[in-house]
């Protein structure tokens, strides 16, 4: 009788597990077909990290989390901070953006020296951290790009992306892979930021609210 109860328990547990797996698969299929349904609601805590800035000083990203709105830009280090099409307008408008209560942070594979050279070409200091995605304590390549889903394992290369992190430390999430989701239209987001608006999906929320 005891064996029969165990078998019954296993059968019931197996049925419940199969139902959950089936539901999850249907949900993922639905998201893939119409990702707009989850864009506004899928959120996760922003991964934190520690990297060196353009002055070779260690910056702990968590010191910003929960204190202010954050715009995290993974830019093309080969082009340089002064020539990247997403980062450059943010640099040019950094004073106005940060006056609206937003902290800018740039990340790339460019060395601190290369970032200082970019500042020299600009003729001024950037005014916010330009971080080098190298962990001297680990052999893993581009660890922060990996945290944010911007590392291509097959090609062993990085991608660029702009992320918006709110005061609750939350960032949009790709519901399929669980990584933070970059803004779909960075240029539109930049325009809103310059005008004192915080982009939120397809809508914008006034920073004065």
């Amino acid at each position: 009788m005891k064996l029969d109860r165990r078998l019954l328990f296993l059968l019931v547990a197996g049925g419940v597990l199969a139902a959950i797996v089936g539901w999850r698969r249907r949900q993922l299929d639905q998201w893939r077909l119409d990702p707009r349904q989850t864009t506004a609601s899928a959120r996760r805590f922003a991964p934190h990290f520690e990297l060196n800035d353009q002055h070779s000083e260690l910056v702990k990203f968590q010191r910003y989390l929960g204190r202010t709105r954050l715009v995290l830009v993974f830019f093309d280090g080969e082009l340089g901070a002064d020539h990247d099409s997403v980062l450059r307008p943010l640099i040019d408008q950094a004073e106005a953006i940060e006056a609206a209560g937003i902290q800018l942070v740039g990340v790339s594979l460019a060395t601190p020296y290369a970032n200082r050279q970019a500042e020299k070409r600009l003729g001024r200091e950037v005014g916010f951290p330009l971080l080098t995605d190298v962990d001297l304590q680990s052999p893993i390549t581009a660890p922060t790009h990996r945290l944010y889903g911007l590392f291509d394992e097959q090609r062993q290369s990085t991608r660029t992306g702009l992320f918006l992190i709110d005061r609750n430390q939350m960032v949009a999430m790709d519901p399929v892979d669980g990584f933070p989701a970059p803004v779909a239209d960075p240029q539109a987001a930049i325009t809103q930021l310059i005008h004192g608006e915080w982009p939120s999906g397809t809508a914008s929320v006034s920073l004065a609210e």
Side-chain angles (χ1 to χ4, degrees):
M1 188 68 178
K2 188 178 293 185
L3 180 61
D4 292 341
R5 288 180 178 176
R6 289 178 179 176
L7 286 174
L8 179 61
F9 174 79
L10 289 174
L11 288 172
V12 171
V16 172
L17 181 60
I20 293 173
V21 170
W23 170 80
R24 181 60 175 169
R25 285 178 176 173
R26 289 192 298 272
Q27 187 182 51
L28 290 175
D29 289 340
Q30 184 178 12
W31 285 345
R32 291 189 186 100
L33 290 173
D34 190 7
R36 295 172 299 176
Q37 296 181 1
T38 60
T39 300
S41 60
R43 310 282 290 175
R44 60 158 290 176
F45 282 107
H48 55 79
F49 50 85
E50 298 180 6
L51 297 174
N52 287 319
D53 65 8
Q54 62 266 48
H55 307 295
S56 298
E57 296 179 355
L58 186 66
V59 173
K60 296 183 178 181
F61 190 60
Q62 55 265 42
R63 80 183 188 189
Y64 299 120
L65 293 172
R67 297 184 178 182
T68 184
R69 292 182 173 103
L70 289 160
V71 177
L72 177 62
V73 182
F74 288 81
F75 66 96
D76 188 332
E78 293 186 2
L79 287 177
D82 55 323
H83 287 107
D84 183 85
S85 62
V86 173
L87 190 65
R88 178 58 190 268
L90 293 175
I91 292 174
D92 292 340
Q93 300 295 329
E95 186 174 346
I97 293 172
E98 294 188 342
I102 301 169
Q103 175 66 49
L104 299 168
V105 178
V107 177
S108 76
L109 295 180
T111 64
Y113 174 77
N115 286 327
R116 290 195 299 272
Q117 291 298 109
E119 288 185 320
K120 282 187 177 181
R121 291 192 296 270
L122 286 167
R124 64 185 187 279
E125 291 189 357
V126 168
F128 59 85
L130 297 178
L131 306 177
T132 300
D133 193 14
V134 175
D135 185 348
L136 298 178
Q137 307 301 319
S138 171
I140 297 176
T141 304
T144 308
H145 282 77
R146 293 174 187 269
L147 282 176
Y148 280 80
L150 296 179
F151 189 82
D152 189 319
E153 293 288 353
Q154 292 185 339
R155 297 182 179 180
Q156 291 292 294
S157 61
T158 59
R159 298 188 297 274
T160 59
L162 184 151
F163 298 86
L164 299 169
I165 303 170
D166 63 26
R167 285 196 183 95
N168 295 321
Q169 308 181 39
M170 304 299 288
V171 64
M173 182 187 76
D174 185 328
V176 177
D177 59 25
F179 282 112
V183 171
D185 189 344
Q187 296 303 328
I190 290 169
T191 299
Q192 290 176 296
L193 290 165
I194 291 173
H195 286 85
E197 298 174 340
W198 180 251
S200 178
T202 58
S204 61
V205 180
S206 173
L207 293 176
E209 294 179 355

